[in-house]
Amino acid sequence: MRLSRYFLPVLKETPADAQIVSHRLMLRAGMIKQASAGIYSWLPLGYRVLRRIEQIVHEEQQRAGHIPMLMPTLQSADLWRESGRYDAYGPEMLRFKDRQDREMLFGPTNEELITDIVRSNIGSYKQLPLTLYQIQWKFRDEMRPRFGVMRGREFLMKDGYNFDLTREDALHAYNRHLVTYLRTYERMGLQAIPMRADSGPIGGDDTHEFLVLAETGESEVFYDSAVTDISLGQRDIDYDDKAQCAAVMEEFTTLYARTDETHDETLFAEVPEDRRRSARGIEVGQIFYFGTKYSEALGATVQGPDGKSVPIHMGSHGIGVSRLLGAIIEASHDDRGIIWPEGVTPFHVGIVNLRQGDQSTDSACDGIYRQLESEGLTALYDDRDERAGAKFATMDLIGLPWRITVGPRGLSNGKVELTSRRTGTSEEMSPEAAIARLRDIYAAHP
Ligand code: 5CA
């Protein structure tokens, strides 16, 4: 993409109403624009990151055999009456009537709708296990929408639902989701710690939230600092292997880690004192096992192997897709701007032409740009007629992890500069060597 033809409305001023750094940077970098309280337009740069995050979520869900689909944002109140949640959900649910006077709502979550789909189409245990998921907009009329996309009213969520014959199978689905989530967040350059939590309006007994530690986080958390030393890494996972998924669950959830809702001072006191931490965190996902709560209310049953009809065991599993942009920026920025992890960056590399209009720098930049694109690496080429300082400031603000700088002096020796946004270090090398380096770097971030 050539910056001269792109739409990147960066702001010079720091927006006064944005309280936390991720919100300020998303506005300044021209990623989002507020449409009304807690509701945002996704401008091209923000939209690219959002799509990239969605793509990682899709890949990791499908790796585990979960099946993508799409349900509507608008739902009829009838199903929610059947489950008993229509009244219980309270003022967070946006309710309205259509022209036929039918009561409708904008879905805050989809347990009812998906259970209805399954009950109409599944009758035998032989059709289970099944996990369906979607990435779709939700609406919750939050009392205090704030911090930009972090606590929006309209927000993008991945919501997945498992349907199993037995409690044991459903617990495997729960463990399996935990593993997929760990891998998803790690690919985004994030450490998200599973913490025992409260199930709130979704209900159920077993639930873990995934928290990214950050001072600006809305949740208060208590944990054994040893949990921050564990990561999933590149290990091979067989998602059908119940014992393997259960072992990962145990590894990640045995050490003390809880949100304030489930915090237990007595248990916490058993953690060695030098490892006891209390901090704040951003909730980027939550998994629930709630058994037959919805299947019983809505009559979603299957015939078991013995011919008897039994309610399906279920769980639901959410990732805050749009919130993740804020969480990643909170975890990865400096005073000049965003620093995107390679896994989610909107463009793989920025190209800065230090002397726009100079025949040799222009043609070198064009060549690098075309070569990168032909190798599937996306570049944002700053081809504007601007001062070098302004071009660097824009690149630093929008946070592409790598930058190739092309100037007449280097070029006279056949060299360009490759700069890491994270460390600030620059290396001189030939354009071919810079492209080869980027190819290697991004091979680890498909
Ligand atoms: N039905 C379940 C799982 S599919 C559910 O709704 N879970 S949830 O309520 O925990 O939401 C899932 C994730 O959505 C949360 O972990 C959080 O990351 C994100 N989320 C929730 N509310 C908001 C909001 N107001 N703004 C942005 N993201 C949100």
Side-chain angles (χ1 to χ4, degrees):
M1 180 57 63
R2 287 166 193 274
L3 192 44
S4 62
R5 297 182 200 164
Y6 200 42
F7 181 62
L8 183 70
V10 298
L11 305 181
K12 296 228 164 50
E13 308 293 319
T14 300
D17 51 339
Q19 297 161 28
I20 62 171
V21 67
S22 57
H23 188 196
R24 281 197 291 274
L25 287 173
M26 286 183 79
L27 292 169
R28 283 190 52 213
M31 296 176 67
I32 52 169
K33 181 177 187 318
Q34 184 175 309
S36 57
I39 302 178
Y40 291 87
S41 297
W42 293 80
L43 306 183
L45 190 74
Y47 183 59
R48 280 186 84 100
V49 183
L50 191 67
R51 283 282 168 269
R52 181 72 194 128
I53 290 176
E54 279 189 83
Q55 189 190 341
I56 293 176
V57 170
H58 275 302
E59 286 173 9
E60 294 308 324
Q61 288 309 301
Q62 289 171 47
R63 199 192 296 283
H66 303 165
I67 305 168
M69 63 177 290
L70 191 60
M71 289 175 270
T73 52
L74 303 188
Q75 306 183 20
S76 146
D78 299 345
L79 273 176
W80 287 72
R81 289 225 167 76
E82 256 187 85
S83 74
R85 278 208 293 184
Y86 189 63
D87 294 324
Y89 216 96
E92 265 193 23
M93 182 186 275
L94 180 65
R95 305 156 202 250
F96 47 89
K97 286 186 178 161
D98 68 10
R99 68 199 299 169
Q100 318 289 355
D101 224 27
R102 277 187 293 251
E103 288 178 286
M104 308 286 292
L105 57 98
F106 196 122
T109 176
N110 279 47
E111 281 80 6
E112 283 76 0
L113 211 51
I114 192 82
T115 308
D116 177 53
I117 292 169
V118 167
R119 75 176 171 186
S120 323
N121 292 290
I122 296 239
S124 160
Y125 76 97
K126 291 182 187 147
Q127 293 162 286
L128 304 180
L130 179 67
T131 295
L132 299 165
Y133 79 93
Q134 66 169 352
I135 298 179
Q136 177 62 295
W137 295 94
K138 306 288 185 291
F139 195 93
R140 293 182 185 172
D141 205 349
E142 299 276 351
M143 177 99 95
R144 261 181 238 97
R146 56 180 187 162
F147 300 162
V149 300
M150 207 76 99
R151 178 163 298 279
R153 293 198 298 161
E154 189 185 53
F155 60 97
L156 192 58
M157 190 203 286
K158 171 263 168 184
D159 44 323
Y161 306 85
N162 66 284
F163 300 89
D164 289 279
L165 177 63
T166 63
R167 178 181 151 82
E168 187 206 337
D169 286 353
L171 288 174
H172 170 55
Y174 186 78
N175 296 342
R176 196 173 65 228
H177 276 90
L178 175 118
V179 184
T180 66
Y181 280 25
L182 291 170
R183 177 153 276 163
T184 301
Y185 299 126
E186 284 184 17
R187 278 187 67 184
M188 297 175 189
L190 281 179
Q191 179 169 50
I193 305 168
M195 300 199 181
R196 184 166 288 284
D198 181 69
S199 64
I202 310 291
D205 312 326
D206 270 318
T207 184
H208 284 88
E209 287 179 1
F210 291 76
L211 286 119
V212 173
L213 298 175
E215 278 166 29
T216 50
E218 291 190 288
S219 313
E220 194 180 7
V221 299
F222 301 84
Y223 62 97
D224 177 336
S225 66
V227 294
T228 59
D229 300 332
I230 336 173
S231 69
L232 195 64
Q234 295 302 319
R235 59 181 106 166
D236 266 337
I237 301 282
D238 173 358
Y239 284 104
D240 291 329
D241 184 336
K242 289 185 177 170
Q244 193 187 21
C245 293
V248 175
M249 168 63 82
E250 195 180 318
E251 178 185 351
F252 279 83
T253 59
T254 301
L255 291 165
Y256 191 92
R258 294 188 175 205
T259 61
D260 56 353
E261 297 150 341
T262 57
H263 179 55
D264 180 328
E265 281 295 345
T266 317
L267 287 175
F268 193 47
E270 291 169 14
V271 175
E273 196 173 353
D274 60 326
R275 300 202 325 234
R276 258 177 251 157
R277 300 278 188 283
S278 72
R280 304 202 68 84
I282 302 165
E283 180 206 323
V284 291
Q286 186 163 6
I287 53 177
F288 302 83
Y289 164 70
F290 44 68
T292 56
K293 171 176 169 174
Y294 295 92
S295 54
E296 283 191 52
L298 297 169
T301 56
V302 287
Q303 221 170 44
D306 57 3
K308 285 201 191 113
S309 174
V310 287
I312 300 173
H313 282 259
M314 290 176 60
S316 73
H317 314 276
I319 292 181
V321 172
S322 48
R323 176 179 287 183
L324 271 165
L325 277 93
I328 292 168
I329 296 172
E330 289 295 324
S332 186
H333 66 270
D334 62 15
D335 43 5
R336 286 175 293 141
I338 302 166
I339 307 173
W340 290 115
E342 273 83 357
V344 297
T345 183
F347 294 94
H348 292 121
V349 55
I351 303 173
V352 168
N353 185 343
L354 290 180
R355 192 171 297 166
Q356 202 68 46
D358 176 282
Q359 207 248 320
S360 69
T361 59
D362 285 5
S363 84
C365 287
D366 281 345
I368 294 169
Y369 179 73
R370 274 199 300 270
Q371 183 61 31
L372 286 164
E373 299 272 303
S374 78
E375 299 198 19
L377 292 168
T378 54
L380 182 65
Y381 169 22
D382 192 344
D383 60 343
R384 296 170 305 161
D385 189 14
E386 278 278 357
R387 289 177 302 109
K391 291 189 176 186
F392 290 146
T394 301
M395 284 294 174
D396 285 349
L397 173 64
I398 68 172
L400 309 184
W402 297 95
R403 186 184 81 211
I404 294 177
T405 310
V406 182
R409 198 147 39 90
L411 219 48
S412 62
N413 300 317
K415 297 275 165 71
V416 298
E417 217 174 56
L418 181 67
T419 306
S420 157
R421 171 70 180 85
R422 188 169 296 278
T423 64
T425 44
S426 294
E427 265 185 82
E428 275 210 320
M429 58 183 86
S430 68
E432 297 72 36
I435 294 167
R437 177 79 67 82
L438 291 167
R439 196 187 301 133
D440 285 350
I441 290 166
Y442 283 107
H445 301 277

